[in-house]
Amino acid sequence: VQLQASGGGLVQSGGSLTLSCAPSGGTFSVNSNAIGWYRQAPEKQRELVALIGTGENTLYPPAVKGRFVISRDIAKNTVYLQMNMLKADDTAVYYCNAPVPSGGSWLFSWGQGTQVTVSS
């Protein structure tokens, strides 16, 4: 099983984009574990941009707080990342995965991710 991110594309600075994250290759309920959205820009480390817990609590780093919103649709078994007021610095490959509760690792191997490019 992997969590596959989709919905990326090219968007102008100040625009919006919504990414989707759904399991593929097996059965996994996105409601059974915390789900995180991550991104990796060229020559930079992968970083967390949003996290939603099983209790619907959410976490955002300062760089995206107030602009990004993570949500979960249990019926569709999908987690979304609504990105608003996009900036050139948001350009990266975006991934989703499920962090293990103890931290430091993830339930699944990383998928291909989805490219988000913000033009200035």
Side-chain angles (χ1 to χ4, degrees), residues 30-34 51-60 70-74 79:
V30 298
N31 196 40
S32 65
N33 200 85
L51 183 75
I52 186 166
T54 54
E56 301 303 313
N57 50 304
T58 58
L59 175 71
Y60 305 94
I70 188 171
S71 63
R72 175 165 43 211
D73 187 325
I74 297 173
V79 175

Side-chain angles (χ1 to χ4, degrees), residues 32-81:
S32 65
N33 200 85
I35 303 294
W37 278 99
Y38 305 82
R39 68 185 180 189
Q40 187 167 20
E43 301 182 359
K44 291 188 177 180
Q45 289 189 336
R46 186 174 289 150
E47 61 177 354
L48 175 72
V49 296
L51 183 75
I52 186 166
T54 54
E56 301 303 313
N57 50 304
T58 58
L59 175 71
Y60 305 94
V64 307
K65 194 170 185 178
R67 300 189 298 122
F68 289 12
V69 179
I70 188 171
S71 63
R72 175 165 43 211
D73 187 325
I74 297 173
K76 295 184 178 180
N77 203 28
T78 300
V79 175
Y80 301 98
L81 182 68

